[in-house]
Amino acid sequence: MLPQGVAIDSRTGIVSPSTTVYEKRLSEFRGVYSDTAALDALIASKGDLVTYTVSERKDPGTDIFFGTTVMQPGRVGEEYFMTRGHFHARRDRGEIYYTQSGEGLLLLQSRDGEIRTVEMKPGVCASIPPDWGHRSINTGTEPLVFVWCCNQDAGHDYAEIATRGMRQLVVQRGGMTAYVANPKYEA
Amino acid sequence: MLPQGVAIDSRTGIVSPSTTVYEKRLSEFRGVYSDTAALDALIASKGDLVTYTVSERKDPGTDIFFGTTVMQPGRVGEEYFMTRGHFHARRDRGEIYYTQSGEGLLLLQSRDGEIRTVEMKPGVCASIPPDWGHRSINTGTEPLVFVWCCNQDAGHDYAEIATRGMRQLVVQRGGMTAYVANPKYEA
């Protein structure tokens, strides 16, 4: 690769030029959100909405890469729109999430089920240690945009979180953001 | 380490909490700027100014780390204030420079002397390939603030650039930014 400048729009999260862009839609999250009836109702009424978009800049011949995630505001029942959540395949690889706009929560979980959160707001750079699962959640009313950076060989392990979710759910109740135990996790 | 949020001020470059902060002053750049008489005159008239400040957030137990560099505006003779410039000790380690405010140039040089530049302006994420020396230069009138991220084991090799500098100098002539051959490099 040669040195290059890649423009990041802190409002839209557009990475130009990017190497890969993918979108995640509501229908891909059956079993991820706890309220499946609410998910089906939302798809029936609003269509199969894109909840988040990931834009990557990954160049051959270097170790690290970066990109953006743009998480739309919204909820499925009580639960805010969120990413699937993942551990890295390599247990020695961390990651950095640098919030550009919007507001949200980074929900983290260690392999033994310890939960931590980091507030996501413009200017906060969240440091995700190796072997902590992580999920970003838009608790605001605007798109949540963050730049992430990690080693290209970190890889993804979605299985752990896909099976029973994370220990806590982040929900809106009575107009407030609340953490509640995830019954599926404890089962 | 545990997950954490670190605040970055995009105007001042302050990282809070940081783990290390260091400043570089004019007197440390004798032999780096081409015009030694101008350097001495500047120190005599303005004092031993801080030209840049590096704030790091480096946590044990993870692979990558990040921080900011704040480069003040100014010149030594024709040459703009700039970093020393370095290669990484590990030749397989790249780096990312994400400009937050100000304007400048990232000057890059391969081991065989090829020169490239990337414009530094807010929103531009510069990808520095492994084994390319790099120096940041403030060509504007405000502080140049950027966030950098790389592997903790990348290391620094300052010797290559300290010996004869980079192939080109970035200077202000007639109110314009110009690239000129570095006579010391070619000697």
Side-chain angles (χ1 to χ4, degrees), chain A residues 28-34 79 82-84 135 169 184:
Chain A
E28 300 172 75
F29 287 79
R30 203 162 263 116
V32 176
Y33 290 106
S34 58
E79 265 186 298
M82 60 187 184
T83 57
R84 279 173 289 183
R135 159 179 287 170
L169 308 178
K184 188 170 152 191

Side-chain angles (χ1 to χ4, degrees), chain B residues 78-166:
Chain B
E78 293 185 314
E79 267 186 296
Y80 294 104
F81 284 180
M82 60 188 183
T83 56
R84 278 173 289 182
H86 65 272
F87 285 82
H88 291 155
R90 278 192 61 155
R91 294 186 170 217
D92 59 346
R93 295 303 193 215
E95 188 161 5
I96 286 166
Y97 276 17
Y98 184 30
T99 302
Q100 305 293 292
S101 56
E103 55 184 282
L105 283 170
L106 179 59
L107 183 66
L108 302 112
Q109 182 170 311
S110 69
R111 290 278 182 185
D112 55 4
E114 182 181 352
I115 283 275
R116 297 262 169 172
T117 57
V118 175
E119 190 182 11
M120 299 180 79
K121 60 182 182 182
V124 172
C125 203
S127 202
I128 300 167
D131 222 22
W132 279 74
H134 44 284
R135 160 178 287 169
S136 47
I137 300 165
N138 187 343
T139 58
T141 55
E142 302 295 326
L144 171 66
V145 180
F146 58 94
V147 174
W148 45 263
C149 179
C150 68
N151 271 294
Q152 292 192 19
D153 63 5
H156 292 93
D157 166 11
Y158 291 107
E160 167 88 8
I161 291 173
T163 308
R164 54 180 188 165
M166 294 179 77

Side-chain angles (χ1 to χ4, degrees), chain A residues 6 19 41 47 63 75 82 84 100 106 115 117 119 121 129 145 162 165 168 172-173 175-176 186:
Chain A
V6 175
T19 52
D63 50 347
R75 292 196 306 280
M82 60 187 184
R84 279 173 289 183
Q100 305 293 291
L106 179 58
I115 282 276
T117 58
E119 189 182 11
K121 60 183 183 182
V145 180
Q168 291 194 313
Q172 190 181 81
R173 281 193 186 165
M176 305 283 285
E186 305 298 344

Side-chain angles (χ1 to χ4, degrees), chain A residues 1-16:
Chain A
M1 67 175 289
L2 287 170
Q4 61 204 311
V6 175
I8 295 177
D9 187 308
S10 61
R11 285 272 147 203
T12 63
I14 290 172
V15 173
S16 48

